Amino acid sequence: MRLEHSFVCDIADLYKAETTLPLAFALHNSNNPEQEARRRFREDLQLLKLLPRIVRDVQSLLTPRSTDATDEDEPQEKRDIHLVHLWDPKSGTLPAGVNYAARGE
């Protein structure tokens, strides 16, 4: 798998339990599983309204909620943005949001 596809696969993993896994088991007796899987998956995308949901979820994941006045109904701890750090066995804690592929490790 190419590195460019890893984000797409990560997002797809969020929905596979309710989409592709049940579909795969439902097709166990199909005479043409590839064609039927494509057709039924398209139908499921429409029924579940998955594409608009994916857009909302990705926006939510990539854009932390702000702490402006519109969020005053929520407790402060729910509005705080928590930083995520990565852990490396050699270097210890590393900041997230850095492309470590360029380091050549």
Side-chain angles (χ1 to χ4, degrees):
M1 174 176 45
R2 293 182 6 207
L3 184 59
E4 299 87 26
H5 296 162
S6 61
F7 179 73
V8 173
C9 291
D10 288 343
I11 297 303
D13 283 346
L14 298 173
Y15 308 99
K16 72 179 176 187
E18 65 185 292
T19 57
T20 57
L21 292 179
L23 178 60
F25 285 104
L27 296 174
H28 72 283
N29 283 332
S30 175
N31 291 330
N32 191 347
E34 290 181 34
Q35 180 182 9
E36 193 171 342
R38 285 191 298 272
R39 181 186 54 77
R40 288 182 57 182
F41 188 69
R42 278 193 306 269
E43 291 170 3
D44 288 350
L45 286 177
Q46 292 172 347
L47 289 173
L48 296 171
K49 296 182 169 75
L50 194 59
L51 292 178
R53 188 169 140 205
I54 291 171
V55 171
R56 282 192 311 272
D57 291 347
V58 168
Q59 288 174 334
S60 174
L61 289 168
L62 296 179
T63 309
R65 293 188 60 166
S66 66
T67 57
D68 60 9
T70 60
D71 292 337
E72 287 184 6
D73 294 341
E74 291 187 41
Q76 180 64 37
E77 62 270 6
K78 284 192 172 189
R79 290 185 277 148
D80 288 341
I81 298 170
H82 300 285
L83 293 178
V84 176
H85 297 283
L86 304 174
W87 185 80
D88 179 74
K90 295 177 186 172
S91 306
T93 302
L94 299 170
V98 176
N99 183 357
Y100 292 101
R103 293 173 48 185
E105 293 179 7

